[in-house]
Amino acid sequence: MLSEDPTKRTLADLGVTDAIQLAFRFTELRAQLQRDLKRAKESGEWDMLRETWIGSPDSVKSRITTNWLRTAPPGLQPAVARDLENLINEVFILSTVMRSLDQLGTAQADQVAAQFLKLQQVFDTEIEECVDEIDLGVSRTFWLGRSSGVLTHITDSWLKTASPQLKRVVGAEFNKLKTHVESKIEERRTAIEAGAEEASLAREGVDLSLPGVIRPVGSHHLIRQVLQEVEDIFFSIGFSVVEGPEIETPYYNFEALNIPEFHPVRDDMDTFYLQLPKGAPEPLLLRTHTSPMQIRTMEKRQPPVRVIVPGKVYRRDNPDATHSFIFHQVEGLAVDTDITFCDFTGTIEYFVKQFFGPGVKTRFRPSYFPFTEPSVEFDVSCIFCGGSGTAAGGGNCSKCKGAGWIELFGAGMVDPAVYGFVNYDAKKVSGFAFGMGIDRLAMLKYGIDDIQVFFQNDVRFLRQFP
Ligand code: PHE
């Protein structure tokens, strides 16, 4: 061996202070052992190999015992002892199974059996000492490894070279050992796995009788709940839902709805325009109502059309108890060949009674929208004072200001001019449209007097509507 042979120095000298560094040193020794084995196989000098590694007072084994084991810190000592034992076993086993039976001086059947028995004993001790998957993996490779496992060596060195008289017994013993090794490894693996599970349960200290962690479950926002209620009512009479973009072009938001560029109603509705890069093809704005979806729907579908359009809309309103720059609408549109004003009022009446209850009365007043003709404003009898206009404690009802009616939403028969924008034949079709504020419906139904609470996300408010 070379003069810088590590087994001639102490672990402290080598700077080995933990099991990992130690394992590295033993790996180096194993590589050296493999080289020596190969040389011995070629030269047949097996006695010298054993001398070098385990036999003489100056063997690797003695040096490790003196220089490493005796001087190792107490914490590292068991690891050194174990690694050394494994190394010695390896020298012993490999120098046995890499020689032919001839070289071993084994010529009788009972000697063959004895050789196999010795191997099995070493294996049995080794496998008992495997404490985890890693140990087991190393042993499995050492014994069963395809290219240079012990059993492969036995096949090459013993079986193939055995004399005709011994072949049978070697084959039988070989099979016995192989079965033994395989079943023991499997057995040990199951035991280690079971132990690992137990150990990890113990480590984690899981107490299955403890109550679980209660995670708060969210609920739908009141606006979403009311939207679903409205949708369900319209579903029941044959409407379906469509949704559209919140960023619109002036064409859909205004022009196609019969609101030309300089029409005065734009003043009420002009809204947030997007800042676009120079050279953008056309301006874009946040939609002021859900009515653009009337156009988008009719462009795509032929009558009969029966849709509702829920969604967010935006206006340049200053926030107060009844105004917000963002709020929610549900648009309605029904177009067919024979829709009359009666269908329109009947539909609205049905909705209002379903939503607020059968006791509620409705009325409409003439109004104006450029895209409906005639246009109306729908009112419901005041939900708070029962339409009397008088508060429970006397005096005017504060909600309807003594009027007994509350303004609910705008609507009307679709203006024939609108059909021109979507290539419908205004002579053949007719229909109605409406647009209601969901926030307003929710405020009326649930007695909420400030629209801002919908957008503040205060859980004390939200929790009241689980
Ligand atoms: N879009 C109108 C608004 O937001 C409401 C409306 C819709 C009126 C449909 C008539 C028909 O005020």
Side-chain angles (χ1 to χ4, degrees):
M1 285 228 171
L2 303 170
S3 60
E4 63 258 38
D5 178 356
T7 60
K8 287 190 171 149
R9 301 165 62 189
T10 64
L11 289 179
D13 262 3
L14 293 166
V16 173
T17 53
D18 62 26
I20 295 176
Q21 291 165 321
L22 183 70
F24 177 71
R25 290 294 173 177
F26 272 98
T27 308
E28 278 180 339
L29 287 173
R30 282 204 173 81
Q32 179 62 43
L33 173 63
Q34 289 298 334
R35 285 192 289 273
D36 286 3
L37 285 165
K38 207 171 149 223
R39 209 173 308 132
K41 201 175 161 105
E42 282 157 10
S43 64
E45 290 178 349
W46 290 101
D47 291 341
M48 200 179 95
L49 179 125
R50 286 215 176 173
E51 287 269 291
T52 314
W53 284 86
I54 48 183
S56 68
D58 189 37
S59 66
V60 176
K61 177 190 165 183
S62 333
R63 284 201 305 273
I64 291 180
T65 311
T66 319
N67 299 330
W68 291 10
L69 187 60
R70 297 229 169 92
T71 66
L76 210 52
Q77 230 155 27
V80 180
R82 221 184 112 207
D83 284 345
L84 176 59
E85 194 193 322
N86 287 343
L87 183 71
I88 294 166
N89 279 339
E90 241 176 275
V91 176
F92 167 74
I93 292 172
L94 292 176
S95 62
T96 307
V97 298
M98 286 171 80
R99 273 189 270 186
S100 67
L101 290 174
D102 234 15
Q103 285 172 317
L104 287 168
T106 305
Q108 315 284 325
D110 55 343
Q111 289 172 314
V112 171
Q115 289 285 9
F116 274 99
L117 188 65
K118 250 192 277 169
L119 290 178
Q120 188 181 316
Q121 279 163 351
V122 177
F123 168 78
D124 283 347
T125 341
E126 185 184 317
I127 207 73
E128 277 312 311
E129 280 168 8
C130 287
V131 294
D132 57 22
E133 304 271 350
I134 298 172
D135 283 349
L136 198 62
V138 172
S139 288
R140 186 186 287 119
T141 317
F142 183 72
W143 288 87
L144 299 175
R146 253 168 212 279
S147 61
S148 54
V150 173
L151 290 167
T152 306
H153 282 308
I154 296 179
T155 314
D156 290 345
S157 327
W158 293 5
L159 203 55
K160 284 185 185 156
T161 63
S163 62
Q165 313 90 282
L166 281 187
K167 230 180 187 115
R168 264 181 59 114
V169 63
V170 175
E173 287 290 338
F174 174 82
N175 286 335
K176 220 168 76 188
L177 179 66
K178 188 166 182 240
T179 319
H180 178 83
V181 167
E182 283 171 348
S183 70
K184 275 274 172 179
I185 284 181
E186 187 51 29
E187 211 175 88
R188 193 73 199 138
R189 195 185 60 80
T190 322
I192 286 171
E193 250 173 34
E197 237 162 67
E198 246 169 58
S200 84
L201 272 182
R203 197 168 50 242
E204 286 161 18
V206 177
D207 180 351
L208 296 176
S209 66
L210 283 174
V213 179
I214 295 167
R215 301 190 192 281
V217 176
S219 59
H220 282 155
H221 192 283
L222 184 60
I223 295 294
R224 172 63 51 191
Q225 294 179 31
V226 170
L227 254 173
Q228 278 173 358
E229 235 180 289
V230 172
E231 287 177 4
D232 285 343
I233 295 169
F234 281 103
F235 285 159
S236 74
I237 49 174
F239 282 76
S240 56
V241 170
V242 292
E243 283 180 277
E246 285 170 31
I247 294 174
E248 268 297 5
T249 62
Y251 176 77
Y252 285 108
N253 198 75
F254 298 123
E255 272 109 83
L257 286 162
N258 204 26
I259 312 174
E261 187 156 9
F262 297 106
H263 196 288
V265 297
R266 281 214 191 185
D267 293 348
D268 292 341
M269 285 219 192
D270 251 357
T271 185
F272 305 104
Y273 282 83
L274 272 64
Q275 257 179 13
L276 297 173
K278 267 209 189 79
E282 58 180 334
L284 291 172
L285 55 99
L286 297 181
R287 67 180 178 191
T288 59
H289 50 181
T290 42
S291 302
M293 277 308 287
Q294 291 188 28
I295 308 300
R296 288 185 182 274
T297 306
M298 288 189 282
E299 275 180 348
K300 284 207 201 84
R301 298 189 193 178
Q302 288 303 306
V305 168
R306 246 178 243 104
V307 294
I308 53 170
V309 189
K312 290 193 186 78
V313 300
Y314 304 83
R315 289 193 197 174
R316 230 178 32 187
D317 285 337
N318 288 321
D320 64 21
T322 54
H323 292 86
S324 166
F325 49 81
I326 173 174
F327 58 102
H328 302 81
Q329 284 190 332
V330 170
E331 189 83 7
L333 175 69
V335 182
D336 205 342
T337 47
D338 52 2
I339 289 188
T340 66
F341 200 83
C342 278
D343 297 317
F344 167 43
T345 53
T347 304
I348 298 302
E349 190 127 329
Y350 171 78
F351 165 74
V352 168
K353 290 207 151 76
Q354 288 290 313
F355 187 79
F356 287 111
V360 164
K361 289 194 279 292
T362 55
R363 73 172 186 187
F364 57 81
R365 295 171 286 119
S367 183
Y368 172 75
F369 298 101
F371 40 96
T372 48
E373 181 60 35
S375 300
V376 301
E377 201 74 51
F378 251 95
D379 296 347
V380 284
S381 54
C382 179
I383 292 103
F384 302 98
C385 63
S388 67
T390 320
N396 273 355
C397 168
S398 65
K399 304 291 163 145
C400 63
K401 308 209 168 62
W405 293 96
I406 287 179
E407 195 182 307
L408 206 55
F409 55 85
M413 299 302 286
V414 177
D415 193 310
V418 172
Y419 296 131
F421 287 96
V422 295
N423 287 327
Y424 276 16
D425 187 343
K427 291 202 189 67
K428 288 199 183 126
V429 295
S430 58
F432 62 83
F434 56 84
M436 43 195 172
I438 292 297
D439 314 76
R440 196 169 166 68
L441 287 178
M443 288 167 78
L444 286 173
K445 186 159 177 172
Y446 294 97
I448 293 157
D449 52 17
D450 186 355
I451 193 173
Q452 303 301 329
V453 294
F454 291 136
F455 307 105
Q456 286 160 348
N457 282 337
D458 185 331
V459 286
R460 288 168 301 179
F461 167 72
L462 300 175
R463 273 206 200 111
Q464 294 173 50
F465 306 97

